[in-house]
């Protein structure tokens, strides 16, 4: 079945450090891939997405590239800020379906 | 546009009771999906409604049910509550079926004592 495997956390970085959160997936066909972010006490916000192989999603300095050959969608940011502290979820959905499969989430804490 | 709204934001119930949660999607959105978030199981899909019909269902017992109204608002109901039903219940909406992006509400925090 469809599944997402996400890098275990928590991750603690100093401000301006480089961030990578690994995400790999298992799915039939060509799923769409997403990164969602959850700030404390809030619901999920879409951070970025990619719908086909080699697409790069980007938003707020975050980037992720849909790599079909390695079934990966790693999240990166060149310089994190304290305000980036949150839980990040990798997710996939199959074409035509409205149910998301989520990874376990990675808690990021950025210290000044 | 206003975002997805969920009411109530917090609920405390006791075992054996039942509960109803409400979700109002973004205006114009016709698909509503529900998810359960717990520390142990993470985020799990409950069900999806479109045009007042359940279109997809996750692996949850029959105690979990839902419905959608003609204005696309949705409710989910949990009967005979168990301690393990304590969770954050998230609702997400999208314009129609097969749309990639789902937009989430803030969630309803249910505590079962």
């Amino acid at each position: 079945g469809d599944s997402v495997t996400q890098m275990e956390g928590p991750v603690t970085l100093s401000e301006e450090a480089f961030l990578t959160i690994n995400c790999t997936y298992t799915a039939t066909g060509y799923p769409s891939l997403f990164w969602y972010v959850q700030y404390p006490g809030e619901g999920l916000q879409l951070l970025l997405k990619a719908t086909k192989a080699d697409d790069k999603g980007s938003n707020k300095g975050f980037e992720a590239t849909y790599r079909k050959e390695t079934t990966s969608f790693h999240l990166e940011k060149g310089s994190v800020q304290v305000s980036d502290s949150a839980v990040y979820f990798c997710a996939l959905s199959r074409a035509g379906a409205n149910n998301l499969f989520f990874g376990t989430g990675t808690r990021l804490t950025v210290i000044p | 546009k206003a975002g997805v709204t969920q009411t109530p934001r917090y609920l405390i119930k006791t075992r054996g009771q039942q509960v109803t949660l409400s979700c109002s999607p973004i205006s114009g959105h016709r698909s509503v999906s529900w998810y359960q978030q717990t520390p142990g199981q993470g985020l799990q899909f409950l069900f999806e409604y479109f045009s007042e019909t359940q279109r997809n269902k996750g692996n949850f017992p029959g105690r979990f049910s839902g419905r959608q109204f003609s204005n696309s608002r949705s409710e989910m109901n949990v009967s005979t509550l168990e301690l393990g039903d304590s969770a954050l219940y998230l609702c997400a909406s999208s314009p129609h079926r097969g749309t990639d992006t789902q937009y989430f509400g803030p969630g309803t925090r249910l505590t079962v004592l």
Side-chain angles (χ1 to χ4, degrees), chain A residues 4-22:
Chain A
V4 175
T5 302
Q6 192 174 333
M7 171 177 158
E8 293 282 337
V11 174
T12 302
L13 295 174
S14 297
E15 206 164 23
E16 299 183 5
F18 184 84
L19 169 71
T20 300
I21 301 177
N22 290 337

Side-chain angles (χ1 to χ4, degrees), chain A residues 34-48:
Chain A
F34 306 84
W35 279 100
Y36 280 87
V37 59
Q38 187 173 36
Y39 297 100
E42 298 184 14
L44 298 172
Q45 296 178 27
L46 177 67
L47 183 58
L48 54 84

Side-chain angles (χ1 to χ4, degrees), chain A residues 104, chain B residues 37-42 86-88 109:
Chain A
T104 52
Chain B
Q37 185 178 24
T38 60
Q41 299 299 315
S86 295
L88 181 67
R109 172 75 62 186

Side-chain angles (χ1 to χ4, degrees), chain A residues 86-98:
Chain A
V87 181
Y88 292 82
F89 292 92
C90 185
L92 71 82
S93 71
R94 266 188 267 151
N98 270 32

Side-chain angles (χ1 to χ4, degrees), chain B residues 37-51:
Chain B
Q37 185 178 24
T38 60
Q41 299 299 315
L43 279 153
Q44 294 184 286
F45 170 75
L46 278 156
F47 28 64
E48 176 212 353
Y49 285 86
F50 180 80
S51 291

Side-chain angles (χ1 to χ4, degrees), chain B:
Chain B
K1 277 186 183 177
V4 178
T5 58
Q6 293 187 245
T7 56
R9 291 292 310 276
Y10 301 92
L11 265 179
I12 300 176
K13 294 285 187 179
T14 56
R15 276 181 300 175
Q17 288 187 309
Q18 75 165 15
V19 66
T20 300
L21 313 180
S22 180
C23 171
S24 293
I26 292 171
S27 178
H29 285 197
R30 297 172 60 199
S31 174
V32 174
S33 298
W34 288 88
Y35 295 83
Q36 182 196 63
Q37 185 178 24
T38 60
Q41 299 299 315
L43 279 153
Q44 294 184 286
F45 170 75
L46 278 156
F47 28 64
E48 176 212 353
Y49 285 86
F50 180 80
S51 291
E52 304 175 61
T53 302
Q54 187 180 93
R55 303 292 178 152
N56 206 351
K57 190 177 192 311
N59 189 25
F60 279 83
R63 299 184 298 107
F64 291 81
S65 63
R67 60 178 175 168
Q68 187 180 34
F69 302 95
S70 58
N71 61 358
S72 296
R73 191 177 70 84
S74 177
E75 291 181 345
M76 67 163 281
N77 184 78
V78 187
S79 62
T80 320
L81 284 166
E82 301 177 359
L83 295 179
D85 297 333
S86 295
L88 181 67
Y89 289 88
L90 293 164
C91 165
S93 76
S94 57
H96 45 77
R97 299 208 73 218
T99 305
D100 289 318
T101 304
Q102 293 184 43
Y103 298 88
F104 283 80
T108 294
R109 172 75 62 186
L110 172 64
T111 301
V112 182
L113 303 176

Side-chain angles (χ1 to χ4, degrees), chain A residues 3-6 22-26 70-74 90:
Chain A
S3 65
V4 175
T5 302
Q6 192 174 333
N22 290 337
C23 171
T24 58
Y25 68 90
T26 300
T70 54
T71 61
S72 65
F73 193 55
H74 305 320
C90 185

